[in-house]
Amino acid sequence: MLNLPFSTKSIIRAVFLTLFVLTVKLHAQNQSPVSKSPTFSFNNGLGFVSPDSSFGLSIRLRIQNRIGATLTEMSDGTWQVTQNEFRVRRARVRFDGFVFNPKWTYAIQLSFSRADMDWDGSSVPNVLRDAMIFYRPSKNWIIGFGQGKLPGNRQRVISSGEQQFVDRSIVNATFTIDRDFGINTSYTIPIGKPQIIVRAAITSGEGRNEGVVAYNKVNAGLCYTGRFEFLPFGAFDKRGDYSEADLARETKPKLSLAGGWSYNEQTVRTGGQLGRSLLSPLNMNTLITDVLFKYRGLSIYGEYVNRMSTTSPLTYSYDGNGKIIDTRWIYQGEGILGQAGYLFKNNYEIAARFAQITPQKEINNLEEIRKNYAICFSKYLKGHRLKLQSDFTLEELYDGQSKARNGRNIAWRFQIEMGL
């Protein structure tokens, strides 16, 4: 008998093992490929896209830590410290992305510092700032639905994290139309190299998360806002028309001329979308114009705002005998802002600002004329994502009727901005 080097059992095992391997291999070839992992990126915050590209999410966060002091001129000519500021001015988280396809996008922004929650106007911790759903039918047209910024004055629409001063001006603080809930749209009309941008919105008029007003009446009025922008020399680099300071160092002059108008029908707050509740609804008109110029590190910005009520800006509450017990009003008046800055090649910037707000006749016995002269020094370590800023402001106060000077303040602020 022939002696084989392998036993029968060994041969049988080898045959079965071979058949098993071939079966597994053929089965694997008939299956769909192993699922891909999500795609991660760090271009604009921390982002990822699902394996089937049906969902995208970008997470960004930022904080503004600030210290400061205010000195007030006393009647005897001396100066005294009247306020110290040590606080987290802003702490925010933002989520952006798309669902189903890139034409459907969303933006959610939350705020967590007390100074950033509209406590004074709403008396509640108003955490939600933005909750928008966008649809882009074409490259130049976008439609938004939800809560977000209205197409108002440019300095408001520019993020608080992309300012060339520690914060926005008194003109913005007094006249901005801020955020609201509703529908808005933006359409860019290319006419060769120049551009025309038309923005419009129809919103509730009550501001962030309002719904029913303080005196338990549903407001039937809406807010209608429109804005027109003309860019004669074409688009700014890196959307620089909505970012302060010329960090892109425009190699050619860039200019944006803009005008806008907002009509808030039966508004129930002193600032339209912001402020305390009025004692009765009023109709409010706000006219806005602004201009922006940038070239080789130089940036120049100007803004004019005029606000008026279609009737008296004053509202009253009465006791049982018809006696006035409280008065609240719309700031009916005008504001003017001018600021300019120059960014050096080492990413240091020096900027100067003048801002003034002036109440009109019907409230000039209730409000003062305020003038601000400011200078700011900034160091951009990583653009607006990491920067150090310090500004000094001289504020002059004048009686709204006699125009006599009532007093002066000097404010100093230092702030570090850090974010993704």
Side-chain angles (χ1 to χ4, degrees):
M1 181 180 289
L2 182 64
N3 294 323
L4 296 175
F6 304 106
S7 67
T8 304
K9 290 183 178 180
S10 297
I11 295 173
I12 293 172
R13 289 193 189 111
V15 170
F16 273 103
L17 180 62
T18 302
L19 291 173
F20 176 77
V21 171
L22 289 173
T23 302
V24 170
K25 185 175 180 180
L26 290 172
H27 178 75
Q29 289 176 345
N30 291 329
Q31 301 303 305
S32 58
V34 178
S35 297
K36 298 179 181 178
S37 299
T39 302
F40 292 90
S41 67
F42 301 92
N43 295 328
N44 192 13
L46 172 61
F48 71 88
V49 178
S50 62
D52 61 356
S53 300
S54 64
F55 174 82
L57 172 66
S58 174
I59 304 172
R60 290 183 286 169
L61 55 89
R62 64 185 178 93
I63 56 175
Q64 291 179 347
N65 287 346
R66 181 186 301 179
I67 61 173
T70 300
L71 288 79
T72 300
E73 185 180 28
M74 300 292 106
S75 57
D76 61 359
T78 62
W79 293 82
Q80 292 186 10
V81 177
T82 54
Q83 180 180 344
N84 286 312
E85 183 179 20
F86 285 73
R87 61 173 172 167
V88 178
R89 176 60 181 88
R90 294 178 175 90
R92 297 184 182 176
V93 178
R94 181 182 175 106
F95 305 92
D96 301 270
F98 68 90
V99 176
F100 180 60
N101 67 50
K103 289 187 175 183
W104 288 96
T105 61
Y106 61 90
I108 302 170
Q109 185 170 203
L110 309 176
S111 57
F112 297 99
S113 67
R114 181 183 175 92
D116 209 18
M117 292 185 186
D118 192 24
W119 272 88
D120 294 338
S122 62
S123 301
V124 296
N126 216 331
V127 175
L128 182 64
R129 299 192 70 81
D130 300 298
M132 292 293 300
I133 297 171
F134 298 101
Y135 176 66
R136 187 180 290 274
S138 66
K139 177 183 177 181
N140 296 327
W141 186 19
I142 188 168
I143 302 168
F145 175 65
Q147 178 175 292
K149 288 183 179 180
L150 291 174
N153 59 308
R154 188 188 301 268
Q155 191 169 78
R156 165 55 66 181
V157 180
I158 292 175
S159 169
S160 58
E162 298 190 349
Q163 304 286 320
Q164 64 186 155
F165 280 75
V166 172
D167 218 330
R168 300 181 177 97
S169 75
I170 57 172
V171 175
N172 177 85
T174 305
F175 296 106
T176 183
I177 55 176
D178 199 63
R179 288 172 165 85
D180 211 347
F181 187 97
I183 301 172
N184 63 58
T185 186
S186 174
Y187 188 77
T188 301
I189 306 172
I191 48 175
K193 185 176 182 180
Q195 286 186 350
I196 293 175
I197 304 173
V198 180
R199 308 180 192 273
I202 300 177
T203 55
S204 71
E206 269 82 71
R208 294 164 55 190
N209 309 316
E210 281 298 302
V212 180
V213 300
Y215 44 84
N216 299 320
K217 293 183 180 178
V218 176
N219 174 23
L222 298 176
C223 181
Y224 307 89
T225 305
R227 180 176 170 86
F228 176 90
E229 300 173 13
F230 176 51
L231 285 64
F233 307 135
F236 287 64
D237 290 342
K238 300 177 181 178
R239 293 195 74 248
D241 50 335
Y242 278 92
S243 172
E244 292 191 356
D246 185 19
L247 296 182
R249 302 183 190 277
E250 299 282 356
T251 57
K252 296 181 180 180
K254 295 295 175 63
L255 177 68
S256 178
L257 305 169
W261 170 78
S262 180
Y263 173 64
N264 198 333
E265 180 184 20
Q266 296 291 288
T267 182
V268 296
R269 302 178 74 177
T270 56
Q273 284 77 13
L274 293 170
R276 297 190 303 164
S277 295
L278 291 167
L279 301 172
S280 59
L282 291 175
N283 296 330
M284 174 192 294
N285 283 292
T286 305
L287 173 69
I288 300 166
T289 61
D290 57 68
V291 57
L292 175 68
F293 175 82
K294 289 186 176 184
Y295 181 55
R296 294 189 182 275
L298 174 67
S299 59
I300 301 173
Y301 177 64
E303 183 174 285
Y304 172 79
V305 185
N306 188 296
R307 173 171 287 166
M308 63 210 82
S309 172
T310 57
T311 57
S312 171
L314 301 166
T315 64
Y316 306 96
S317 64
Y318 304 88
D319 63 14
N321 299 318
K323 182 181 177 180
I324 297 174
I325 57 175
D326 194 8
T327 305
R328 297 181 187 177
W329 57 92
I330 289 172
Y331 191 107
Q332 183 164 283
E334 61 183 7
I336 185 170
L337 165 67
Q339 67 183 52
Y342 183 75
L343 181 69
F344 296 92
K345 293 183 178 180
N346 58 6
N347 288 324
Y348 283 94
E349 184 191 45
I350 182 171
R353 168 190 285 172
F354 171 75
Q356 176 176 324
I357 57 173
T358 306
Q360 291 182 351
K361 185 176 180 180
E362 290 188 82
I363 62 166
N364 62 11
N365 62 324
L366 301 168
E367 297 279 2
E368 294 179 306
I369 299 170
R370 296 173 61 191
K371 296 182 181 181
N372 279 189
Y373 307 86
I375 187 169
C376 184
F377 302 93
S378 301
K379 171 61 176 178
Y380 299 93
L381 300 172
K382 185 64 176 178
H384 284 294
R385 302 289 75 79
L386 179 59
K387 62 184 177 181
L388 286 69
Q389 294 181 296
S390 182
D391 62 15
F392 299 84
T393 302
L394 170 64
E395 180 174 62
E396 297 180 338
L397 306 173
Y398 297 85
D399 184 90
Q401 292 182 314
S402 68
K403 307 299 189 294
R405 194 169 77 185
N406 288 340
R408 293 188 296 177
N409 299 309
I410 294 177
W412 166 78
R413 300 177 295 185
F414 172 77
Q415 181 170 279
I416 298 178
E417 166 99 19
M418 178 179 288
L420 297 177

